[in-house]
């Protein structure tokens, strides 16, 4: 009776480990879903908000998340500064185009 019980416990343990290893059984119910897709959701020309919202998959021997997050924040700040500069330049160009020009020739 005892060996049969041990075999059943061992089989249950192997099944649980297999389910956890394949991702079919979540260990932490509050953890975000992790995918293995190469696309991280950044468009061809990302904006600062796109960079701030991107998340990468993690692995046991992956990357140092704090370093990557710091670089992504720097990139997002740089993009935000460029976006502000482009908006200011476009506003200046629109104001210049809308301003009346003195095209009448002066008589000497």
């Amino acid at each position: 009776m005892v060996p049969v019980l041990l075999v059943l416990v061992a089989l249950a343990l192997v099944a649980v480990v297999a389910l956890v290893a394949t991702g079919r059984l979540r260990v932490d119910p509050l953890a975000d879903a992790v995918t293995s897709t190469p696309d991280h959701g950044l468009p061809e020309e990302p904006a600062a908000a796109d960079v701030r919202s991107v998340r990468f998959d993690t692995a046991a021997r992956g990357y140092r998340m704090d370093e990557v997050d710091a670089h992504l924040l720097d990139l997002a700040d740089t993009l935000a500064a460029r976006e502000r500069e482009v908006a200011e330049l476009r506003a200046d160009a629109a104001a210049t185009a809308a301003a009346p020009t003195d095209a009448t020739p002066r008589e000497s």
Side-chain angles (χ1 to χ4, degrees):
M1 181 72 164
V2 174
V4 174
L5 183 61
L6 288 176
V7 169
L8 290 176
V9 170
L11 287 175
L13 183 63
V14 168
V16 169
V17 169
L19 289 173
V20 170
T22 59
R24 296 181 190 265
L25 180 66
R26 294 178 58 177
V27 177
D28 184 5
L30 300 177
D32 293 327
V34 177
T35 62
S36 296
T37 59
D39 180 22
H40 296 290
L42 285 177
E44 283 291 321
E45 295 184 23
D50 297 328
V51 175
R52 284 191 177 94
S53 66
V54 72
R55 296 292 174 258
F56 295 95
D57 295 342
T58 57
R61 298 184 64 119
Y63 59 89
R64 291 191 49 131
M65 289 186 284
D66 56 339
E67 289 179 1
V68 173
D69 290 341
H71 286 292
L72 285 175
L73 286 175
D74 289 343
L75 177 61
D77 291 342
T78 302
L79 285 172
R82 288 182 185 172
E83 290 168 4
R84 284 190 300 273
E85 183 178 353
V86 167
E88 290 171 4
L89 291 173
R90 286 185 178 159
D92 289 347
T96 302
T101 58
D102 188 13
T104 57
R106 293 185 178 177
E107 293 183 28
S108 299

